Every structure is written in structure tokens, then in C-alpha cells.
Amino acid sequence: MSQFIESIKVEDQEVFLLDLHQKRVNQTFAHFGKEGSIDLSKIFKNLHHDEDGLFKLRVVYDLDKKFRTQMIPYAIPEIQDFRLIENNTFDYSFKFEDRKELEKMKMKSKAEEIIIVKNNHITDTSFSNILFLKGKEWFTPSTYLLNGVQRQNLLKKKKIKEQEITLQNIKQFSHFQLINALNDFDDMFIYPIDRINNLPGNDEYLDI
């Protein structure tokens, strides 16, 4: 049976964006025709987590409502090189625990992190949604693979906008940053666009 995963930010004993995580879990159960769900709030309370600091609460679950948890200390990664990789068939509509295809793409790219291109459109990295800076405004691709909880949160708060971002217009943006449940919108962790080492027009463009 397929297993799914939620990675939830816990900082100083406070849990973040739990309503959006719960909504995604509920939608997963409903999509596969299962009644009910698992209760993330109850799962967190039953852990009796009493440590300060930043943690990732990892909840792996299946459609029989079996689950296991891990509470893992977390630090935001700083990544040295990114690479565009094309995969027109990859589907990650649900947050599956199985990441074999993502890991295969990363190994093939020989880069620290990948940005997946699908049908000429920019989507996500292997572990996050992505934002691009043009002028003073931040945009996120309308062609995401997974509509992450942080992405939904920032769109709702109008801190970012959606835009079609393609291989043709990516060089119009000056910087980018990664967002997910553990990685907030944070100007301290932005990368210049040329940190992507095979942008269109470069000698190495999609040469993998």
C-alpha cells in the first residue's frame, strides 16, 4: 500500500501550518475513496514534545490510518549548485513517501539540487516549491508539482504571486529561493539566478 508523508515545522514546541497539513491529509484520504483521516493535532500532542529549537515532525501514514512519527532537529540547508532537469512524465500530485524517482533525477544531474522542468515549464525542486524575484516582487510557478503548504500560505497572505515561468522567461528573474513547510519566506536564503548552472543559453544547458 502507498505511504504518504507530512513534514511539519515545530519550533519552540509550537507547531506551524497544521491546518494546511491536515487539509492535505484529508484530501489524500478522500481522493483515494477512504472515509475519515488521521488527526495531526492529536498525533503531535501525544508526542509530549517539550524541547525548544527547530524540528521537523515527520509523519508517515497509509490509507489504513497506520502511521509512524519522527521528530528530527532541523537546519535550513544552504545549497551550492542547482541544475535544471527535464522530466515531462513525472507526477507528484500527492506527497508520497517514495522518492526514488526524485533521487534518480538528482543522481543523474550530478548537482546538489535539481529544478524539475516539465513540458518546458519550471515546476519545483526535489524537496520544495520555488520563488523567483523580479524587481521587488516574488513569483512562484503556476506549474507546480505539489501545491505545498507554505506556497498556499504565502499566496493567501499575498506575499507572493503566481506566474507562468518557463525556460524562455526564467532569465527575466534575478534571484530565487526555496520554500516548504520548514523553509519560510526568508530574504537571508536567496540565490542569484546564475546559481542554476545550466540556464538556457549556457553551454551546459540541459546537457545531462
Side-chain angles (χ1 to χ4, degrees), residues 100-148:
K100 289 191 191 77
E101 187 67 23
L102 289 164
E103 294 305 324
K104 273 200 285 188
M105 283 191 271
K106 278 183 78 171
M107 283 180 66
K108 186 179 177 186
S109 78
K110 298 185 173 65
E112 194 174 350
E113 187 49 62
I114 55 173
I115 297 170
I116 299 158
V117 180
K118 189 171 183 179
N119 300 320
N120 217 37
H121 286 73
I122 305 301
T123 63
D124 297 329
T125 77
S126 72
F127 73 100
S128 73
N129 295 127
I130 190 165
L131 307 179
F132 290 91
L133 181 65
K134 186 192 290 183
K136 294 183 177 178
E137 290 191 299
W138 286 97
F139 298 89
T140 191
S142 53
T143 48
Y144 55 85
L145 294 172
L146 183 77
N147 190 13

Side-chain angles (χ1 to χ4, degrees), residues 67-79:
F67 65 87
R68 64 182 190 273
T69 62
Q70 282 179 288
M71 188 73 78
I72 307 162
Y74 187 80
I76 295 170
E78 179 143 17
I79 297 164

Side-chain angles (χ1 to χ4, degrees), residues 92-104:
Y92 199 66
S93 310
F94 293 90
K95 202 165 168 60
F96 293 104
E97 186 195 20
D98 184 352
R99 292 173 49 85
K100 289 191 191 77
E101 187 67 23
L102 289 164
E103 294 305 324
K104 273 200 285 188

Side-chain angles (χ1 to χ4, degrees), residues 9 17 31 35-36 61 91 117 157 177 185:
K9 178 181 176 180
L17 302 180
H31 175 83
E35 288 190 14
Y61 66 96
D91 178 54
V117 180
K157 290 181 175 177
Q177 65 171 296
F185 182 80

Side-chain angles (χ1 to χ4, degrees), residues 149-161:
V149 294
Q150 191 66 255
R151 183 184 187 278
Q152 294 175 54
N153 178 51
L154 293 173
L155 283 168
K156 186 178 177 184
K157 290 181 175 177
K158 302 192 186 313
K159 288 188 174 183
I160 62 172
K161 297 176 181 178

Side-chain angles (χ1 to χ4, degrees), residues 1-4 29 37-38 43 59-69:
M1 177 178 284
S2 291
Q3 292 194 303
F4 304 88
F29 275 89
S37 186
I38 58 171
I43 288 169
V59 182
V60 178
Y61 66 96
D62 64 25
L63 298 174
D64 288 333
K65 302 182 187 174
K66 294 175 184 163
F67 65 87
R68 64 182 190 273
T69 62

Side-chain angles (χ1 to χ4, degrees), residues 45 51 57 85 107 130 132 147 174 184 193 195 208:
K45 282 175 187 166
E51 290 184 65
L57 169 56
I85 183 162
M107 283 180 66
I130 190 165
F132 290 91
N147 190 13
S174 62
D184 297 337
I193 199 74
R195 189 67 67 91
I208 51 178

